[in-house]
Amino acid sequence: MYDDDDLTVLDLEAELESPLDRMGPIDAESETPKPNPEAMLALLDAPETNQRMLAARAFCELQDDRAIPQLISLLQDACPLVRVSAAYGLGRNPSHDAVEPLIDQLNRDWNGYVRKGVVWALGNCRDRRSLLPLIDALRTDISAVRLWAASALSQMSDVNYESVIAAIPPLIEGLRRDPVAAVRSNCAWSVGQLCRELPSNVVYATAIDALIEAFAEDEELGVQEDAKTALLKVGDPRGLQVIEEIERDRLI
């Protein structure tokens, strides 16, 4: 298990952010020209650390399968800024070939920012092999990584039914027990996303119960609101009725 206090790179105010968090989505209509892919491919092997980092970050904007083998190799770079940039690059260029190297790096990397980027990339790979590592990260890693592991597990909706069923119990556990409100909120969001892929069965009913419980009982207003939003998006009749009843009671 990782400890929030054992990483000097993650302080209390910044632990849920990283230098790349504010990166916007790729915009085909952007007026800013994208980096030249040929030049960036060459720089991925540059001897200078800063050039490797900039090249890896360029593939957070560029989508080019030719970069994938080199980005995978850079996951083991000596510089953590290169490693985190490579992880983000692989998240923008998801590949089944990258899943095992990403899992290996998640298990070995001491740097919380890198593990956070790896978790995001694993979610984007939408591969069943990511399921257990993401669950383990949600249960045992530092808060910044747990936050993204919760979101990444929502991508199991694009894998298969079995993965959705397996992802929901640890998300419910996080929703009920994680000490960080932001993590609980992301768990609520992901539970709602996965519920939309389920038939009305025991797992679905248990998930709805957990969202109702969070809306009614969580001490943080933000978690209550995120659980409510998840219920509204699922559109479960029982959940909608409970929301109406609780909100009416709170007004009295």
Side-chain angles (χ1 to χ4, degrees):
M1 176 181 293
Y2 296 98
D3 187 333
D4 281 298
D5 296 331
D6 68 1
L7 298 180
T8 58
V9 294
L10 294 178
D11 61 38
L12 292 177
E13 293 184 356
E15 67 176 359
L16 300 184
E17 298 183 357
S18 85
L20 300 183
D21 278 357
R22 300 183 185 276
M23 183 185 305
I26 297 172
D27 184 355
E29 302 300 324
S30 173
E31 295 180 1
T32 303
K34 292 183 180 180
N36 183 293
E38 301 299 332
M40 294 301 104
L41 283 168
L43 287 180
L44 287 172
D45 291 324
E48 296 83 4
T49 298
N50 190 55
Q51 289 188 334
R52 295 197 305 277
M53 180 188 70
L54 292 176
R57 288 193 64 173
F59 287 97
C60 300
E61 300 179 57
L62 301 170
Q63 292 179 303
D64 193 322
D65 289 346
R66 295 176 297 170
I68 291 171
Q70 290 163 288
L71 290 172
I72 290 173
S73 178
L74 290 178
L75 288 173
Q76 299 185 47
D77 195 275
C79 175
L81 289 176
V82 175
R83 298 199 303 275
V84 73
S85 298
Y88 276 71
L90 288 169
R92 293 290 201 190
N93 294 267
S95 166
H96 292 304
D97 292 337
V99 173
E100 291 296 341
L102 285 166
I103 291 172
D104 290 342
Q105 200 62 34
L106 178 62
N107 291 333
R108 73 160 63 99
D109 208 295
W110 61 268
N111 187 288
Y113 285 143
V114 178
R115 296 198 307 277
K116 180 181 174 184
V118 166
V119 159
W120 179 72
L122 281 172
N124 283 1
C125 286
R126 295 172 174 83
D127 190 294
R128 182 173 173 79
R129 291 171 292 172
S130 302
L131 175 63
L132 293 181
L134 290 175
I135 289 173
D136 184 65
L138 175 62
R139 286 173 169 164
T140 67
D141 215 311
I142 62 172
S143 55
V145 180
R146 297 198 309 275
L147 183 82
W148 279 26
S151 297
L153 282 168
S154 71
Q155 307 282 19
M156 292 299 113
S157 62
D158 293 327
V159 178
N160 54 37
Y161 176 78
E162 290 75 17
S163 296
V164 171
I165 293 294
I168 285 181
L171 285 167
I172 291 176
E173 178 184 347
L175 175 58
R176 287 173 169 163
R177 300 179 184 176
D178 199 282
V180 177
V183 178
R184 299 199 301 277
S185 284
N186 276 18
C187 287
W189 181 81
S190 288
V191 168
Q193 292 292 110
L194 295 177
C195 277
R196 297 164 72 177
E197 306 299 321
L198 289 178
S200 182
N201 56 20
V202 173
V203 176
Y204 172 87
T206 302
I208 295 298
D209 286 343
L211 290 172
I212 291 172
E213 177 185 319
F215 173 60
E217 301 178 9
D218 197 280
E219 60 188 19
E220 293 287 339
L221 180 60
V223 180
Q224 294 176 19
E225 288 301 311
D226 286 327
K228 173 185 173 182
T229 298
L231 286 166
L232 291 173
K233 288 185 176 180
V234 173
D236 178 80
R238 181 167 60 93
L240 298 178
Q241 180 179 353
V242 171
I243 288 174
E244 182 179 349
E245 293 172 354
I246 291 175
E247 291 191 331
R248 183 175 63 245
D249 292 342
R250 286 174 177 173
L251 290 174
I252 298 176

